[in-house]
Amino acid sequence: MSAAATPAVASHAPALDGGFAALREQLGAAAERFAGPDAFAEILTGMVDDVDRALREELEIFPVCHHSPASGLAMVRRLRDKQPKVIYLELCEDMRPMLEELRNCTLPVAVQAWAGEVEGFPAAWAPLSVVAPITAASAEYQAISYALTTPGVELVLVDRSTDHVFQWAPKRQEGPRAARQSTDEELDSLEPAAEEAGLHGDAVGIEIGDLRPGFAELEQHLLHHGKVRHWSEWWDQYVEQPLSDADYDTYRQVMVLIGSLFRRLRRTGDLDRDEDRERYMWTRMREHLRESGADPAACLYVCGAFHAVSRVEQFGLASRAPFEITARTATRWQYGLIPSSHSSIEAQFGLAAGSVSIAAATWAKGLKRGRLRPFSLTAGSSGSGGKPPKRRTSVAKPAPAPSPEPAVADQLSGFLSTPPRRDTVDEEELLGWSVGIVRLARRNGYVAGTADAIAVYETSILLAGIRDRARPTPYDFQDAAITCIEKDRVPGRRDVRRLCEILLGGDLVGRVGYAALPPLAQNVYDRLRPLGVDPNSTRVQRILLDLDTAPDLRPGSDLLWMLRGLLPDHAVRPIMGSRGLGERSRQESWDVAIGKYQRDLVELGYEGITIEQVLEHRLRVRVNGGEATAARALAAVEDALVYLDSPRLADELGGRAVELLTAERTVDDAPEVLRRVRGLIDYYRCTDDGLPAWCARFVTAGYAHYCTLLPTACTDDTTEVRPVAAMLGFLFGMENLAISLGCDRHQLELAVEQSHPEAPAKVALLWATRMQLGMLTLADLRIRCDAMLANPLVIPAFPQYLSGFVQAMDPVPAIKSFVVELLSKAFGRLPDAILLPWLPTLVTTLRSQAGELVPALTREAGRTFPADRAGIDSFVPPWSRPPEQAGGATSAAPPTGPAAGLLRAHPQTCDAYAGLLGYQGEWRAPRVAPPAATTALMTAHPQTATALAELLRAGG
């Protein structure tokens, strides 16, 4: 069929002979009278044509708005009246298997499709997530419940798959997660609590029936003339309340009319994806009818009112326009159910805070007023061992044979021309609200009483009258409560707006039952129960573990430590106890709130069957991803040993760490590499097997790699002094091990000779390095530093030099005493005119560049200076003492004793080692005469020697 012959293009032509001809003619004449024959008249008459065309379609179209109580009530009435045998539902077709698990959940929940690894999409989009929230008051849930509880009824999801959701998304870097911009002026002040609003994470939301103006001007016009603050209030006042008690024909025609209005006023560019969805759905429905042979008169198509007036050429069962459905990508999708809440639905779909709770209250009130029995699935156990509720589930009887539908009658004319019915105030309901909000306010710290309840009651009626409303709505009551109770401050954690939401139904949070959880989540629940943890509780649970007296609890402790790294911070939090390399706690205390993070646990179930499998997979991803570094790989090795106790995995990850280290061209991660490799070497040295092969290769590769990068790092202005000091710490700290594994020390000496830094801190660090290698004596270093202190031009940069010396304390521990000497000389020699401006720079430099080394410097100063006040006056610094007083003679005498005698008796071994190391020396004769200090001491105090001689003589 060509496009010219389809009803889509003929929507602006005169309507077919039917019940809407008079309304079309009336609206057309009114538009020409007030605005002339322009686009306005075309819009008005086109809306009537859209209603006529949608209602004349052979397949009955049920228009809905997402989470609308009026839609839910109309759905209950229509399902009990028509009892269709096939229900086509606007929902991602690949989510169909998960709908069976809704019977094991407590609503609201969301059906989720998740993909951790993507193929065919930009890598920056991963992980991909799509959620479809479902509430008990929604029309889609009523349709699902009816289909799953009625024998012989088939439920068919016809919307595009989750894979196509992202195929049709804009190919921008931020992808489909681009933030949805809301036009509500007061949404910022109505934001719900972040904890409840974040249950959907950053998933893309799928909603059935998004009825909202496509541009801000129309929405602001409606809000202004409707005397409301935001769109949710306008929709409740002018659509939900009038349609709650309307008959099915009126409901259907009004919803289609609203969908047509918003569709015609939407920009053309925004319709592309919506029209593709409509082509997709009609193609799938025609395919199913051909394959199943179902009678269209016994079918019901549930879709958003926006899609009910589709003008694509594929619209209608009579259309033969083809539409090619592209194949899905190779991305592997996984499906599950996650908990949802009213506030998370509001946050994701741009609704005002509290609107879904108010809709739930309207739904409950409509059921009671209309004496309707909603459809619901049998709720399974909320956890292992739970019992289903005792209430009976409404199950429809088998559908009878379809009867011919009566001709469509015009209900729009009467609905649009009839003024709103003036309901009387429901005094009992409003009085209950007023008393209840005062009670809640007093519990939350407000000074409220009976007078405030009366004021809220009267103000609600006053506001409804000012706004031309038939009766006070929940929004009027909310405004009145804020005005009368909150006044100027909020004494507690909740404001009055939030208290009104709690009163009207609260932020209901759904739960996924044990039977509907993935195997990983079920395994976690089973392993936590021996610890006394109730996984279904949303409260924080404190548990105490004595692992010495109850060693059978240690597997549970291991699970908690793994969950701590995989779940958000506050899900599992240790209070007492620690876990590290070779470290196990004897007693532990935990705060467990895993019930609040059921969504995160469910998403872990998409990655594996057990927690151990997920952790192992993530460790491999961490060391093989695009952002992998040697430091991250070493951290993964630690996690494999600490949490999984898997030497096999540690060896695999360690081999990858060697590859990453040799491929790095910067030394920014050198401090982290040094810290982690030191810990791993110390751990392996305490094991029976000793150092693994990968660790030896890491040391040799790191020694050669850092020797190669040292000259470049010293001259690179973008490289700070701390990474260079960490490089030298690795080279000096691992030197003995590296040389024993075949490395050459001359490589380090050549790298130091080729290093010519210009930054003061790096110059000082290189001086300390040269002293460690024997290329610079301590006396020469002292002369250089004394010259700097005497040079006024160098004094401003002296803190940088000092920072370099402090950084050198890690690779060259022997320089600690010299740093203390240098600081003492600076404070003793510099005048106040120089020292006072220079002191803040010194403090900030040490704090920012060497904060973790200052305690070691303080301890060295404590060993150098007197510990009491009395010794300060007579204290002479070691660097100011004569050589004899400071450390004895300058040329040390040959040692004596049994060891020296043994070496002199057998000099061949020492000569061989000296020749191997390239040294030549001569054996010196031992000193026969005692030291002069010893002789003087014995001469001054002969009593001890005389008594010892007499004792020996008596013994002989």
Side-chain angles (χ1 to χ4, degrees):
M1 180 182 293
S2 63
T6 61
V9 179
S11 60
H12 298 301
L16 300 175
D17 294 336
F20 295 98
L23 177 61
R24 186 182 190 280
E25 182 179 355
Q26 181 181 359
L27 291 178
E32 291 184 2
R33 178 180 178 185
F34 290 102
D38 55 3
F40 179 64
E42 184 180 1
I43 291 176
L44 290 181
T45 57
M47 289 164 52
V48 179
D49 293 341
D50 288 342
V51 173
D52 192 4
R53 184 166 57 91
L55 300 186
R56 288 179 177 276
E57 171 55 35
E58 182 181 2
L59 176 63
E60 182 178 342
I61 302 175
F62 190 102
V64 300
C65 174
H66 66 90
H67 310 298
S68 164
S71 297
L73 295 171
M75 177 64 73
V76 173
R77 298 188 186 99
R78 187 55 181 168
L79 290 176
R80 296 198 179 279
D81 182 34
K82 182 182 177 69
Q83 297 189 16
K85 292 186 176 181
V86 179
I87 295 181
Y88 297 112
L89 184 61
E90 179 195 336
L91 194 62
C92 295
E93 59 184 2
D94 50 339
M95 291 183 175
R96 175 63 180 85
M98 291 309 303
L99 298 182
E100 300 286 348
E101 298 296 336
L102 288 175
R103 66 182 75 251
N104 299 312
C105 302
T106 302
L107 300 182
V109 296
V111 185
Q112 183 182 40
W114 190 89
E117 299 178 357
V118 298
E119 296 184 27
F121 302 111
W125 290 10
L128 301 179
S129 180
V130 173
V131 296
I134 298 177
T135 62
S138 60
E140 56 266 31
Y141 177 71
Q142 294 302 311
I144 293 171
S145 300
Y146 166 80
L148 297 184
T149 57
T150 306
V153 176
E154 184 178 4
L155 177 65
V156 183
L157 306 187
V158 294
D159 200 1
R160 72 223 189 279
S161 67
T162 52
D163 197 272
H164 287 88
V165 171
F166 292 96
Q167 285 188 31
W168 297 349
K171 295 299 187 293
R172 298 191 302 269
Q173 183 66 23
E174 66 270 16
R177 293 191 183 91
R180 173 175 177 167
Q181 300 296 328
S182 176
T183 58
D184 293 339
E185 293 181 352
E186 300 188 15
L187 267 183
D188 293 339
S189 62
L190 302 178
E191 284 297 323
E195 186 174 303
E196 292 82 3
L199 290 180
H200 296 169
D202 57 355
V204 175
I206 299 297
E207 51 187 341
I208 300 179
D210 180 18
L211 283 182
R212 190 161 185 162
F215 57 93
E217 291 80 0
L218 174 59
E219 183 168 334
Q220 291 301 320
H221 178 82
L222 294 175
L223 297 183
H224 174 72
H225 289 278
K227 300 180 181 180
V228 294
R229 293 171 300 149
H230 44 74
W231 175 253
S232 300
E233 186 176 359
W234 186 94
W235 181 265
D236 177 79
Q237 175 66 24
Y238 293 99
V239 179
E240 292 294 336
Q241 299 299 334
L243 290 182
S244 294
D245 298 324
D247 60 88
Y248 175 64
D249 289 338
T250 302
Y251 163 82
R252 192 180 177 198
Q253 294 175 23
V254 172
M255 291 295 288
V256 173
L257 183 72
I258 297 174
S260 175
L261 171 64
F262 291 166
R263 186 184 187 98
R264 289 179 175 274
L265 295 179
R266 181 165 294 188
R267 298 179 179 88
T268 305
D270 298 335
L271 289 174
D272 295 340
R273 275 177 291 171
D274 291 320
E275 291 182 346
D276 284 339
R277 291 178 61 188
E278 292 154 3
R279 296 183 179 98
Y280 195 107
M281 289 188 286
W282 280 107
T283 301
R284 287 300 193 206
M285 286 187 288
R286 285 196 295 268
E287 290 176 355
H288 179 268
L289 288 173
R290 285 196 302 268
E291 295 171 0
S292 65
D295 183 3
C299 301
L300 187 67
Y301 172 33
V302 182
C303 67
F306 186 87
H307 301 296
V309 291
S310 173
R311 287 175 286 173
V312 298
E313 58 273 19
Q314 287 81 7
F315 180 88
L317 298 183
S319 173
R320 296 295 181 267
F323 178 68
E324 182 180 357
I325 298 177
T326 59
R328 302 182 188 180
T329 66
T331 299
R332 181 173 174 267
W333 292 92
Q334 301 187 65
Y335 304 90
L337 295 169
I338 63 173
S340 183
S341 67
H342 290 171
S343 60
S344 61
I345 296 173
E346 293 158 0
Q348 186 164 48
F349 298 115
L351 304 176
S355 59
V356 178
S357 298
I358 293 175
T362 304
W363 158 260
K365 189 174 180 179
L367 291 176
K368 183 178 180 180
R369 184 172 59 247
R371 297 181 180 181
L372 299 175
R373 288 186 302 118
F375 297 95
S376 63
L377 299 171
T378 302
S381 60
S382 60
S384 181
K387 297 181 180 180
K390 296 182 180 180
R391 62 176 182 173
R392 299 183 58 186
T393 304
S394 298
V395 179
K397 299 178 181 180
S403 57
E405 293 290 340
V408 178
D410 178 15
Q411 302 292 337
L412 277 177
S413 299
F415 182 84
L416 296 177
S417 59
T418 302
R421 182 167 51 92
R422 302 293 298 182
D423 293 342
T424 59
V425 177
D426 190 341
E427 296 182 356
E428 182 178 356
E429 178 188 61
L430 184 57
L431 186 61
W433 288 353
S434 302
V435 175
I437 191 61
V438 169
R439 183 185 301 113
L440 277 177
R442 290 183 64 87
R443 291 177 183 175
N444 287 268
Y446 290 90
V447 181
T450 306
D452 296 288
I454 298 174
V456 172
Y457 180 89
E458 297 294 342
T459 306
S460 300
I461 298 176
L462 178 63
L463 286 177
I466 294 175
R467 295 167 178 174
D468 294 332
R469 294 179 180 174
R471 57 188 301 174
T473 67
Y475 295 98
D476 298 325
F477 165 73
Q478 190 179 67
D479 292 340
I482 294 173
T483 303
C484 299
I485 297 178
E486 191 167 273
K487 300 178 178 70
D488 58 342
R489 70 185 188 91
V490 178
R493 186 168 60 93
R494 297 186 177 101
D495 57 10
V496 175
R497 186 183 305 278
R498 177 66 178 147
L499 295 179
C500 290
E501 296 171 16
I502 296 174
L503 177 68
L504 297 173
D507 184 18
L508 188 62
V509 179
R511 303 293 301 168
V512 179
Y514 179 87
L517 291 172
L520 179 142
Q522 294 180 355
N523 178 261
V524 169
Y525 279 24
D526 295 339
R527 293 166 66 179
L528 287 179
R529 283 195 173 87
L531 304 181
V533 177
D534 181 9
N536 295 313
S537 175
T538 58
R539 297 182 177 181
V540 177
Q541 304 173 67
R542 174 68 60 87
I543 60 173
L544 304 175
L545 305 178
D546 190 345
L547 302 177
D548 282 347
T549 59
D552 56 310
L553 299 180
R554 192 167 292 277
S557 171
D558 297 337
L559 174 64
L560 290 175
W561 284 109
M562 287 185 285
L563 290 175
R564 177 176 176 260
L566 296 174
L567 293 178
D569 294 338
H570 296 286
V572 179
R573 187 166 58 95
I575 304 302
M576 181 182 68
S578 60
R579 178 66 65 91
L581 287 172
E583 179 185 6
R584 294 293 186 272
S585 302
R586 302 176 60 182
Q587 291 182 335
E588 294 177 353
S589 174
W590 294 84
D591 276 351
V592 180
I594 196 171
K596 291 184 178 181
Y597 298 91
Q598 195 178 54
R599 176 185 67 85
D600 302 276
L601 189 61
V602 170
E603 290 185 352
L604 285 181
Y606 300 146
E607 302 182 46
I609 303 300
T610 63
I611 285 291
E612 289 79 5
Q613 181 183 359
V614 172
L615 181 57
E616 182 174 343
H617 171 71
R618 289 197 177 185
L619 292 179
R620 286 196 173 97
V621 171
R622 189 191 305 178
V623 302
N624 292 295
E627 299 181 357
T629 61
R632 291 190 177 186
L634 292 177
V637 173
E638 289 186 20
D639 291 343
L641 294 172
V642 171
Y643 301 119
L644 297 176
D645 192 19
S646 175
R648 170 193 56 81
L649 180 61
D651 292 345
E652 176 187 339
L653 302 177
R656 177 59 178 164
V658 178
E659 299 175 3
L660 292 171
L661 179 66
T662 55
E664 290 180 354
R665 293 296 173 262
T666 63
V667 295
D668 295 337
D669 292 335
E672 185 73 8
V673 170
L674 175 62
R675 182 180 66 85
R676 293 193 178 277
V677 76
R678 278 177 175 172
L680 288 168
I681 290 176
D682 292 342
Y683 167 78
Y684 280 120
R685 281 175 173 169
C686 297
T687 60
D688 297 335
D689 298 332
L691 290 180
W694 77 265
C695 202
R697 289 189 288 113
F698 191 91
V699 172
T700 56
Y703 191 89
H705 182 65
Y706 284 146
C707 284
T708 304
L709 294 181
L710 181 60
T712 304
C714 286
T715 57
D716 187 6
D717 294 336
T718 61
T719 303
E720 298 181 354
V721 64
R722 185 176 181 182
V724 179
M727 291 172 57
L728 294 172
F730 184 97
L731 295 172
F732 287 127
M734 309 292 171
E735 184 177 15
N736 294 335
L737 179 58
I739 291 176
S740 68
L741 294 174
C743 294
D744 189 357
R745 192 170 193 263
H746 290 291
Q747 188 176 4
L748 174 58
E749 295 176 350
L750 289 174
V752 173
E753 289 290 348
Q754 295 173 356
S755 301
H756 304 286
E758 296 181 359
K762 294 181 181 179
V763 170
L765 182 61
L766 185 63
W767 287 349
T769 303
R770 294 171 66 86
M771 189 187 73
Q772 178 74 7
L773 295 174
M775 301 177 180
L776 184 67
T777 63
L778 180 60
D780 293 337
L781 183 59
R782 182 176 288 117
I783 292 173
R784 293 186 181 185
C785 293
D786 290 343
M788 286 194 300
L789 285 174
N791 189 347
L793 299 178
V794 183
I795 291 299
F798 191 77
Q800 297 293 330
Y801 285 97
L802 188 60
S803 174
F805 282 122
V806 174
Q807 293 283 358
M809 290 165 50
D810 185 20
V812 187
I815 205 169
K816 293 179 182 177
S817 59
F818 179 74
V819 177
V820 174
E821 172 187 345
L822 199 58
L823 273 171
S824 300
K825 289 181 178 179
F827 282 98
R829 297 180 184 180
L830 295 178
D832 292 344
I834 296 177
L835 184 61
L836 293 179
W838 171 75
L839 189 59
T841 305
L842 172 66
V843 174
T844 56
T845 302
L846 291 179
R847 182 176 180 180
S848 61
Q849 299 183 12
E852 71 280 0
L853 298 173
V854 171
L857 182 63
T858 305
R859 289 192 296 269
E860 181 65 26
R863 287 190 294 266
T864 303
F865 295 102
D868 56 354
R869 188 173 175 185
I872 294 179
D873 296 335
S874 60
F875 173 70
V876 179
W879 53 87
S880 300
R881 300 172 189 171
E884 294 81 4
Q885 185 179 357
T890 55
S891 59
T896 58
L902 179 63
L903 292 176
R904 288 190 180 87
H906 305 282
Q908 298 85 359
T909 303
C910 289
D911 292 340
Y913 270 113
L916 181 62
L917 297 176
Y919 291 98
Q920 294 180 357
E922 297 179 358
W923 288 93
R924 299 169 60 183
R927 184 176 56 189
V928 179
T934 305
T935 304
L937 179 63
M938 296 180 65
T939 303
H941 304 281
Q943 297 85 357
T944 303
T946 302
L948 180 60
E950 292 177 356
L951 180 62
L952 293 176
R953 192 181 304 114

